[in-house]
Amino acid sequence: KDWGFGGFIVSDCDALSDGATSRYVARRFNGSLEVQAQQALLGGTDLNCGGLYGERVAGAVRAGLVDERRVDEALERVWSRAYRLGVPDEGREGNPHPSAGLGAEDVDTPAHRALALEAALQSVVLLKNANRTLPLMPGAVGTLALVGPHANGSLIFLGGPNYHGDNDVVKAQTPVLRARAHLPGADVVHEPGCSVTGAGREGFAAAADAAAAADAVVLFLGLDASVENEGVDRRELGLPGVQEALAVAVADAAARPVVVVLVNGGPVAVKALRDHPNVGAIVEAFMPGQYAAEALMQLLLGKASPSGLLPVTVYDADFTARRPITNLDLRGAGGVTYRYFDGVPLWPFGHGLSYADIAFAGVDPAATRRTTAARAAAGERLCFDVVASVAGAGFDAPVDVVVLAFLESDHADAPRNGKLADFVRLAGVAAGAPRTATVCVEQALPLVDDEGRARVLAGEYRVRAGVKGGVGGSGAGGVVGTVVVAA
């Protein structure tokens, strides 16, 4: 009612009857499956994805746990929306609903494909680029070696087996195929080297030989559904199997610095590769969709510059040994998340390099915005202008720049490392033509206490543009203004 929401609430599939829910209901409500159904209905869940409601709601009504009027209310919400969407007429000839005639051609248009490519281009993060290993110069690549278990991957870029339809586009978008399309005069050699999780090293020699003979080497390493999936949690942050050993063997054999592309959902700790002198560049691709390989080839060959920034903190491989996953105290045991981690990550939240050099500065670094706790809690706008400057550094095309704004405070209850307050993407910033972004930080002022109440602490807050100590895409920046909150 407070939101003016006109739909209905549906549970995650089997969430109402999984083990965690059952234990919670048993502990808090001395409950049975009927009590679980009761609690879900009374909590506002109109539709259960799973079997709990169908098996237990009638019994809950007969036992007096649920008023039948609540069941009627849920049914009305679900079925009235279903009729509006034309669900009962689905498949019927002459279905009058506007969506009835929609087909694949309506959801796979040139505009949709262009958007998928742009999303992939924007999401890739350049983690390391020693001595400007990237971009590769197409004219200097006579032989390109693509090595690793994901070097000819396709569906893995959609997230492995999870939640995607049949996609013919991605099957034609493997790194090997796109490399050959972009480098028609080059010899593109493919050597898997090893599997994602296996211990076999019989492919190492061929991979090392290919690397030794190539003008450029790109390793595609990462995870797959066997270690990262719904119902499958990772126990370690490093690369599984012998992938790291493969990468080291290839880097040791290569005549020139190699490039590593990481394909994964959750972050991967690759300290040995970060520190290896012949690993010139590391690219975090994540799983960027159907045009992943096309986007990666455009970025590797300098047809666009990376502009993505890390949405996570990349911890070292020992992090999971130091801190059990059951410890939910964000501040304790060394802290967790970018706000509270007190160690040195492999790469910090917000890190990301560009082929250009980027710097941020406040239009007026001494700018101060004054407010009160009450006005700040009510959402009074507190904005600052940040200038983003680009130096080409050998890459002359305009680049996208993402301006991050962090709010920092020395208050004991504030996050140790600051809090992301705003971000702005500036498209196509050219060298020598600075652009100004306006960042607003008021939404980051409230802190939530142990009782779940949001409150604004009086005091002084620093507004920082860019990652502290950042370079490249994450920006060499600093404090661009101050917010002063009176009690």
Side-chain angles (χ1 to χ4, degrees):
K1 292 179 181 179
D2 292 342
W3 294 350
F5 179 60
F8 60 89
I9 306 297
V10 59
S11 74
D12 188 17
C13 290
D14 296 321
L16 299 184
S17 54
D18 67 12
T21 306
S22 298
R23 287 191 293 273
Y24 178 84
V25 171
R27 185 170 66 252
R28 292 296 185 93
F29 302 104
N30 193 28
S32 61
L33 290 173
E34 282 76 13
V35 173
Q36 283 184 239
Q38 173 210 43
Q39 292 300 307
L41 277 166
L42 296 182
T45 304
D46 301 304
L47 180 62
N48 165 222
C49 178
L52 182 69
Y53 277 11
E55 296 166 2
R56 302 294 173 172
V57 165
V61 171
R62 286 193 293 268
L65 296 172
V66 177
D67 191 309
E68 191 169 346
R69 286 173 296 183
R70 172 64 188 105
V71 180
D72 291 342
E73 179 184 52
L75 287 168
E76 187 277 330
R77 286 179 183 168
V78 172
W79 279 103
S80 63
R81 277 67 177 181
Y83 274 102
R84 291 178 198 173
L85 293 171
V87 172
D89 293 322
E90 199 169 281
R92 180 172 66 84
E93 187 174 348
N95 185 347
H97 194 269
S99 66
L102 297 179
E105 66 280 2
D106 298 294
V107 295
D108 184 19
T109 67
H112 294 149
R113 292 191 174 198
L115 181 61
L117 176 58
E118 181 62 25
L121 287 167
Q122 290 190 18
S123 69
V124 172
V125 182
L126 180 59
L127 298 177
K128 174 184 177 180
N129 196 23
N131 300 315
R132 302 196 183 277
T133 299
L134 291 175
L136 303 175
M137 297 296 107
V141 181
T143 302
L144 173 64
L146 299 183
V147 178
H150 292 317
N152 201 33
S154 59
L155 292 179
I156 188 64
F157 295 116
L158 299 181
N162 281 318
Y163 306 117
H164 61 76
D166 190 22
N167 189 308
D168 291 331
V169 176
V170 77
K171 295 174 184 176
Q173 296 289 323
T174 74
V176 171
L177 293 175
R178 297 318 301 157
R180 288 172 177 161
H182 280 273
L183 298 169
D187 183 14
V188 178
V189 179
H190 171 224
E191 291 290 346
C194 67
S195 65
V196 171
T197 59
R201 301 186 179 216
E202 56 272 15
F204 278 30
D209 289 345
D215 299 307
V217 180
V218 183
L219 286 133
F220 286 81
L221 311 173
L223 311 178
D224 67 9
S226 67
V227 292
E228 183 180 59
N229 200 353
E230 182 168 3
V232 179
D233 294 328
R234 294 164 62 198
R235 295 181 177 272
E236 300 174 344
L237 292 178
L239 287 168
V242 293
Q243 291 184 79
E244 185 173 286
L246 170 68
V248 169
V250 168
D252 287 344
R256 297 174 179 83
V258 305
V259 178
V260 172
V261 175
L262 299 174
V263 181
N264 50 280
V268 178
V270 287
K271 184 177 186 298
L273 304 187
R274 186 198 66 176
D275 297 342
H276 195 292
N278 209 35
V279 175
I282 300 177
V283 175
E284 175 56 86
F286 295 110
M287 294 173 174
Q290 66 185 35
Y291 282 114
E294 172 63 22
L296 285 165
M297 287 303 149
Q298 289 190 23
L299 293 168
L300 294 174
L301 295 171
K303 297 181 179 181
S305 172
S307 61
L309 305 181
L310 279 177
V312 294
T313 300
V314 182
Y315 306 104
D316 60 278
D318 293 334
F319 177 79
T320 52
R322 298 193 306 271
R323 182 186 177 93
I325 195 173
T326 52
N327 184 350
L328 302 183
D329 179 5
L330 298 183
R331 297 174 183 269
V336 68
T337 79
Y338 78 93
R339 298 186 191 181
Y340 299 103
F341 183 55
D342 65 2
V344 179
L346 295 184
W347 288 284
F349 172 89
H351 173 78
L353 306 178
S354 170
Y355 292 154
D357 290 333
I358 298 168
F360 301 128
V363 171
D364 177 9
T368 300
R369 305 288 182 263
R370 298 184 182 276
T371 186
T372 66
R375 295 196 335 245
E380 180 182 26
R381 300 286 277 174
L382 301 165
C383 301
F384 299 81
D385 290 333
V386 179
V387 177
S389 302
V390 169
F395 187 81
D396 298 327
V399 300
D400 284 8
V401 176
V402 179
V403 183
L404 302 182
F406 293 88
L407 201 62
E408 301 174 345
S409 170
D410 295 328
H411 195 288
D413 289 336
R416 179 182 294 133
N417 302 319
K419 182 179 181 182
L420 182 65
D422 199 3
F423 64 91
V424 177
R425 174 178 284 270
L426 300 173
V429 182
R435 296 263 296 279
T436 299
T438 299
V439 295
C440 300
V441 301
E442 65 280 348
Q443 63 182 354
L445 278 170
L447 295 174
V448 178
D449 63 20
D450 291 341
E451 302 301 319
R453 295 185 296 260
R455 57 195 177 101
V456 176
L457 302 174
E460 186 173 294
Y461 298 80
R462 298 177 299 278
V463 180
R464 179 181 298 278
V467 175
K468 195 171 186 177
V471 295
S474 51
V479 175
V480 298
T482 304
V483 174
V484 177
V485 179

